[in-house]
Structures are given as C-alpha cells and as structure tokens.
Amino acid sequence: MNKMRHNNFPFDPAKSPVFYGWFIILWGTLGVIMSIPGQTMGVSTFTDHLIDALNLSRNQLSTAYLLGTISSSFMLTKAGKWYDKIGARWLGGIITITLGCVLIYLSQVDRIAYSLGRIFQIGDLQFYLSFFIIMLGFFLLRFSGQGVLTMLSRNMMMKWFDRKRGLVNGISSVFVSVGFAISPLVFDYFIETYSWRWAWIFLALIAGFGFSLVVLVFFRDNPEDCGLEPDGESVEQAERRSKIKHKAVKQFTLKEAQRSFPFWVLVIALSMQALYITGFTFNIVSIFESASMDKTIALAVFVPTSVISVFISLAGGWLSDHIKMKYLLLVFLVGQMISMVSLALLSSGVPYVFLIIGNGIVGGLFSVLSSVVWPRFYGRQHLGAISGFAMSALVFFSALGPLMFSFSFTRLGAYSWAAYICLFIVVVNFFAALKADNPQEKLSA
C-alpha cells in the first residue's frame, strides 16, 4: 500500500487516459539516449582533446579508460540488486544527478590534475596524477552513464510489457538508434563551437541535472505497483496470461540463470560486441585515417548505420514476439562477422559499405537481445540482478576494446589484427548459439 501511495505522487498513472506503459517507453527511451555521454560513442569525440589537455599518449588514455571501465563493471551486479530493491525511479534520480556531477568534473579534469600537482608540488609525478584523475572520471562516467542509467531504463520498459515486449523495444530502438547516430556529430559541433569543456558542461545540464527531474516525476518501476498490469490488461486478462506463449514459467535467480547454457552464449555475444564497438568508436578517427579517410567520413558513418538499424530494430522487435530469440541471435552474430571482416579490409569501396551494413544489423538487434531476452528467458522478479550481471560483463569487455585496438595499431601496425581476433571468437560463439534455446521452453513442455 505504501508503494501504491509512493507511485501516485505527483500523479496517479492508473488514471492516465492512455495506458501509462506507453509513456514509460518514452521516458525509458530518453533514459537510454541520455546515457550517451557515458557511452564510448560519446567519449570518442573528446578523446583527442583529452590527450592534448592531459599530455597523455593514446595508449595511456586508452589504459586509463580500460581501468576506469573495468572498475565500474565490478559495481554493476550490485547496482542491479539495488534496482530490484528501490526501483527505477529513485535509483534513476540518484544516478542522473551523479552523471551531471561527473560531466562537470570531466570538463575541468586537466585543471584539477594540474592544480593538485602544484598544491602538492609533485613535479615529475604529474603524469601519474593526471592518469589517476582521468581514470577516476572514466570510472564514474561509465558506471553512471553506460552502466546503471542504461540498465534501469531498459529494464523499466521491459517490465511494463509482456506480449508486446518485442514490439515496444523495437519502437524504442528506432529513436535510440537515431540518437546514437547523430550524437557524435552533435557533440563534435558543441566542441568545435564552444570548446570541449563547455560541451561537457552542456551535457551535464541536459543529461544529468535536467533529466533527473524527468526521472523523479515520470519514472515508475512496475505496473503492478501502480495498480496496473503489463500491456494494459485488465485483472481478468492478466489471470489468463499463462496461455501466452512467452509467459515466464519460472522466475530464475541470478545463480540459476548462470547455470544455464544460453545465458553464457548471450553474455559472450553481447560482451564481444561491446568490446568490438568500443574499440572501433574510441579510435574511429584514427581507424579511418589509417584507411586514408578523414574525420568527417569517420563520424558520418553512424548516420547510414542508424538508418539500417532503425529497420532492423523494428523488424527484430516484432519478430522477437513471434519466433525464437535464438534465430535473432544467429543473425546478430552474422552481422558481427560482416562488420569485423569489413573493418579488417577497410577502404573507401565495398568494405566501407559492408561495414555500415554489418554495424546496422548488429546495432538494430543489440537492444532486442540485451533487453527482451532477459525477462523472456529468466522472468521479471530478479531482472535487475540478472541484467546487472550481464551489463557488468558487457562493460568489462567494453573496457578492453579501446586498448586492444590501440595496441593492435601501435604495436602490430594495423587495426585489422584486433578485428580478426574478435572475428575468431564470434565464429566459435555462432556454433554455440545453435543450442541457445529459451530455458522456459523446457519447463513448459
């Protein structure tokens, strides 16, 4: 009853003339978009400016990014359990305010490092201080942005729908894809027009402090807490939901999920994509320069990719309500292979086109697999812990990407070596995915 009163403030979602779950899709989609400053795609436009401001090499900055991201990944399983306890509204409010503070911190990171260096007169040790200060910034940014805000926004949306879960995820993914596609160009515009410091300050005001008000007013965790049912059903309809094909028979705990084979196939698939795409986006300007293409072409690659992702997201979301998730996973892995081969052979001709196609397929299906699959396979009761662990693995592997690609280029002379290593792992996982069936199917058989 206390939960009901809490969710009725400042308005009662049950009295909405339209099922409030559709508004949840709007707010959750905005939540994922507002996480972009914490995504590698958001950080990549600031990379060269940080190298200059902090007097670090590309490998050193990539190492700081790796350590900060890995450190944040160890916190995400715990954050998922926090989500299960306090819900999307309060955790979202805390984390968006945190994100705003982190972005302000990053806008002054070099000044903080050099000011502390003068205060403590560390002299030749300035490098280590600068390295630690930016590593701390990356830790907080990746935890709050890419990690928690993304996780809770997606989980919230998935909890409000069951039969239409794939469809609404596809709709959300359309707008997320567009947001992710244009963000590097928008961020670059802010940087070139106002400076990289002010770009991060603007993002703090919008994605951090400003969006925290949206979260605290409009976010709601479960339809049941608001006197509603998933999909906007009546109580009578909800009682008949056991006949729904995708209704979860068992509510898996995290430990039970970890003992199932499909869980690890999915975690590896999503984690490898995180590793690959972060390595690609973090070094994107350098990657295209090594293929004799300039910065404008590099940043513009996200636009046509998003167009493909939009159609794949809609189709994949709709199909996920009608076919086995395993089939979408296999298509996802094929998309990864296309992208990785194209990157290894990158040039302004056919490989460039297939890089866009591969990334478009993967980008369109990533949100389906990372959002729909967990409640579909393992239920909603422990969704925070299960998705939190998956996000922890995803963030951990994403930390390896930038340094792996950087070392591939600086030590081996080409980015293609990193692409081929990723390709080998994906091919092995493709054959494992042939057996990655929904564990609920065995229980309902």
Side-chain angles (χ1 to χ4, degrees), residues 22-76:
W22 294 108
F23 292 103
I24 288 293
I25 297 303
L26 169 62
W27 310 132
T29 299
L30 284 175
V32 177
I33 292 173
M34 292 300 167
S35 76
I36 292 176
Q39 306 282 351
T40 301
M41 183 174 292
V43 178
S44 64
T45 51
F46 294 87
T47 300
D48 291 335
H49 301 280
L50 288 173
I51 290 172
D52 293 337
L54 292 167
N55 196 27
L56 298 174
S57 70
R58 185 171 298 274
N59 283 350
Q60 289 165 348
L61 187 69
S62 296
T63 302
Y65 189 77
L66 179 148
L67 294 175
T69 303
I70 285 179
S71 299
S72 73
S73 72
F74 295 133
M75 295 288 293
L76 290 176

Side-chain angles (χ1 to χ4, degrees), residues 68-113:
T69 303
I70 285 179
S71 299
S72 73
S73 72
F74 295 133
M75 295 288 293
L76 290 176
T77 301
K78 184 66 175 178
K81 294 177 180 178
W82 295 341
Y83 168 82
D84 286 333
K85 289 182 179 179
I86 67 175
R89 192 181 191 185
W90 293 113
L91 183 58
I94 294 168
I95 215 64
T96 46
I97 292 172
T98 301
L99 178 60
C101 293
V102 173
L103 291 170
I104 294 293
Y105 169 85
L106 286 171
S107 73
Q108 308 298 317
V109 66
D110 58 323
R111 293 173 176 171
I112 293 172

Side-chain angles (χ1 to χ4, degrees), residues 284-300:
I284 186 168
V285 174
S286 176
I287 289 172
F288 276 78
E289 284 179 350
S290 69
S292 302
M293 288 181 275
D294 63 23
K295 175 183 175 181
T296 303
I297 296 175
L299 296 179

